[in-house]
Amino acid sequence: MKSDIKTSCQKRLGRIEGQVRGISRMMDEGRYCIDIVTQISAVRAALRRVEEEVLKDHVAHCVEHAIASGDKTDQRQKIAELMDVIQRSSR
C-alpha cells in the first residue's frame, strides 16, 4: 500500500474509532434512537470510503502489477480475489 494512502486511511479510521466511541456514549446517555442510528449510518459510510481507498490502491498496484507481469495465473488470481471482495462488500 502506498504510504500516503495508508496514512490517509489510518487518519480516517482514527476518526471512525472516535465516532464509534461517541455512539457508545450516546447510548449510555440515553440519546434519541434516531440520532444514534444516524451516527451508525455515518460510520458505515466512512468505513465504505476507507474500503474504496484500499480497493483503489489494490487495483493500482497489485492488480496492475499482475497484468504487467504477463503471468496469466497471477492475473486470474488477482481478478478472482477482486471479484470476491466486491461481491462480499455489496452484501
Side-chain angles (χ1 to χ4, degrees), residues 1-13:
M1 180 177 287
K2 286 176 48 179
S3 65
D4 60 327
I5 299 297
K6 182 178 179 178
T7 300
S8 172
C9 287
Q10 287 175 323
K11 285 180 184 177
R12 285 179 187 230
L13 289 169

Side-chain angles (χ1 to χ4, degrees), residues 78-89:
K78 295 298 183 213
I79 298 299
E81 288 172 349
L82 185 60
M83 294 306 297
D84 185 49
V85 78
I86 289 170
Q87 287 175 340
R88 283 185 303 194
S89 70

Side-chain angles (χ1 to χ4, degrees), residues 44-78:
R44 286 196 341 249
L47 281 170
R48 277 192 301 275
R49 286 191 296 273
V50 171
E51 180 182 38
E52 288 168 4
E53 286 300 313
V54 172
L55 279 173
K56 278 197 263 183
D57 187 73
H58 175 69
V59 170
H61 291 94
C62 300
V63 175
E64 186 177 307
H65 180 267
I67 291 168
S69 75
D71 182 340
K72 296 292 183 191
T73 302
D74 193 31
Q75 292 170 356
R76 287 185 190 99
Q77 179 186 3
K78 295 298 183 213

Side-chain angles (χ1 to χ4, degrees), residues 13-40:
L13 289 169
R15 286 191 297 271
I16 292 166
E17 183 180 9
Q19 286 178 286
V20 171
R21 282 194 305 270
I23 292 168
S24 181
R25 278 192 305 275
M26 290 174 75
M27 294 182 87
D28 288 343
E29 295 167 358
R31 298 277 297 272
Y32 187 53
C33 297
I34 297 302
D35 293 339
I36 294 170
V37 171
T38 298
Q39 290 305 309
I40 291 169

